[in-house]
Amino acid sequence: MVGDRWSLLVVRELLVGPKRYSDVLSGLDGVATNLLAQRLRSLEDTGVVERRVATNPNGIVYALTPWGAQLRETVEALVRWSTPLMALGQGDDAFQAEWLVLALRALLPDRTSKRPIRVHFAVAGALIGLRIDQAGTRVEPRPTDQADAVLDASPTVILGLAAGALTVEQAVAAGSLRGSQRSLDTVFTSHSVIDD
Amino acid sequence: MVGDRWSLLVVRELLVGPKRYSDVLSGLDGVATNLLAQRLRSLEDTGVVERRVATNPNGIVYALTPWGAQLRETVEALVRWSTPLMALGQGDDAFQAEWLVLALRALLPDRTSKRPIRVHFAVAGALIGLRIDQAGTRVEPRPTDQADAVLDASPTVILGLAAGALTVEQAVAAGSLRGSQRSLDTVFTSHSVIDD
DNA sequence: CCGCATCCTCATGGATACTG
DNA sequence: CAGTATCCATGAGGATGCGG
């Protein structure tokens, strides 16, 4: 059901949130439109994906069913497994800021904090939001309000940090990471620091 | 690296333990021999699989590298995700007793017990062993010594039990599960029962 | 036997153009 | 925007061969 080519990548796209056809397409570099249509119908037939026709605008969005959403564990496991490859960074790697929504959630430990903290990642010309509160760690496609800290870095560096393959000190020394030490600590160090 | 057809299934086979070419082949119903050879070489090139030439007999075994073995989390996530399908049991489902080594480990909670207990599953004409001790829950292709309990059931029933989709009472009432109530409790109920 | 390599056929995927 | 239709290239499946 999810072993066909592109299928699990479609799921990955929808794990960020419901999307329209063209948005799924743009997240999947190289997929043929006919194949995407075929995969979406297949995933719909097997109950992984749900096709919704929006009422007000003429829009069709695809979303994961509750069962399909349970593939998050699988995809996150793959994200964690592949971090050594991401850290390597082959020359032809593609990148979209939105992908961090999934990756960071998979890589960062699920911290909680009584006082909610908000961090914005400025990367590849886009902003994504990270929120840590009582409910745990949540990553969102768009930041909703003021940030307590802002991190500005290349994707590779951020992933390297999250994976623990790179230390904050190394990244700062290399000039590849901007943002105050306080900001960095807020995200990447121990819970006591976050909650202080 | 593991998205090609059959690749992750090869990994699944090797997660049980190192295997020879022909054994991997027989675990993968429908794969062409040339494809298997190609995939194994590909997995070897990318550092997921290791090819070992045994010294004493003329044998070649394939094994997962440490990094490749970390795909266990991914495969186990898929096992858990797909239990509703396994419980459904399509008519053309194939089954090999050895597959339970992976499935049970993914499905059963990782219990520990001071006094080691050994359970044998008699299924599809073969025996597999389950051991619970201080180190946790371990499943092995072959039982090594005397069992404290023996479960004799159809694969579907065992999976249903492990997944929690079926209760012990239902299975016994349906006559599809043999073995003493004590034996069943030993495996499927709370830790306190196991350790009593 | 085991561990593949070769050959052939056909299903599947990829690229592009096109349409309601 | 949300796909469909078409055509071509690639990869999968199946049978077979062959050396160790």
Side-chain angles (χ1 to χ4, degrees), chain A residues 6 30 32 34-35 39:
Chain A
W6 298 108
N34 55 353
L35 255 198
R39 288 292 179 267

Side-chain angles (χ1 to χ4, degrees), chain B residues 16 94-104 121-129 139-141 155:
Chain B
V16 174
F95 177 77
Q96 294 182 221
E98 196 198 59
W99 291 346
L100 283 179
V101 178
L102 229 168
L104 283 176
F121 286 83
V123 54
L127 273 181
I128 68 167
V139 190
E140 285 159 10

Side-chain angles (χ1 to χ4, degrees), chain A residues 168-192:
Chain A
V168 173
E169 289 74 19
Q170 288 172 334
V172 171
S176 54
L177 188 63
R178 285 167 295 184
S180 69
Q181 186 66 39
R182 175 75 178 75
S183 293
L184 299 171
D185 288 343
T186 303
V187 181
F188 292 109
T189 58
S190 71
H191 178 271
S192 61

Side-chain angles (χ1 to χ4, degrees), chain A residues 104-186:
Chain A
L104 284 177
R105 177 161 170 182
L107 295 173
L108 295 175
D110 192 15
R111 302 188 232 270
T112 59
S113 168
K114 284 176 205 162
R115 275 187 295 137
I117 80 155
R118 299 166 296 271
V119 177
H120 291 179
F121 286 84
V123 54
L127 274 182
I128 68 166
L130 176 70
R131 170 188 288 270
I132 304 177
D133 54 22
Q134 303 110 303
T137 304
R138 212 173 32 199
V139 189
E140 285 159 10
R142 297 162 198 290
T144 49
D145 42 23
Q146 283 303 103
D148 298 307
V150 176
L151 297 182
D152 184 5
S154 74
T156 307
V157 168
I158 287 188
L159 289 178
L161 287 168
L166 190 67
T167 69
V168 173
E169 289 74 19
Q170 288 172 334
V172 171
S176 54
L177 188 63
R178 285 167 295 184
S180 69
Q181 186 66 39
R182 175 75 178 75
S183 293
L184 299 171
D185 288 343
T186 303

Side-chain angles (χ1 to χ4, degrees), chain A residues 8-36:
Chain A
L8 208 54
L9 293 170
V10 169
V11 172
R12 180 196 70 183
E13 289 301 306
L14 296 181
L15 275 172
V16 174
K19 283 187 176 185
R20 288 174 303 166
Y21 185 90
S22 54
D23 290 329
V24 176
L25 193 67
S26 65
L28 267 40
D29 193 35
V31 68
T33 62
N34 55 353
L35 255 198
L36 178 58

Side-chain angles (χ1 to χ4, degrees), chain B residues 28-45:
Chain B
L28 267 39
D29 192 35
V31 68
T33 60
N34 55 354
L35 256 199
L36 179 58
Q38 183 182 313
R39 289 289 180 269
L40 281 170
R41 203 171 312 126
S42 165
L43 289 169
E44 193 189 351
D45 291 343

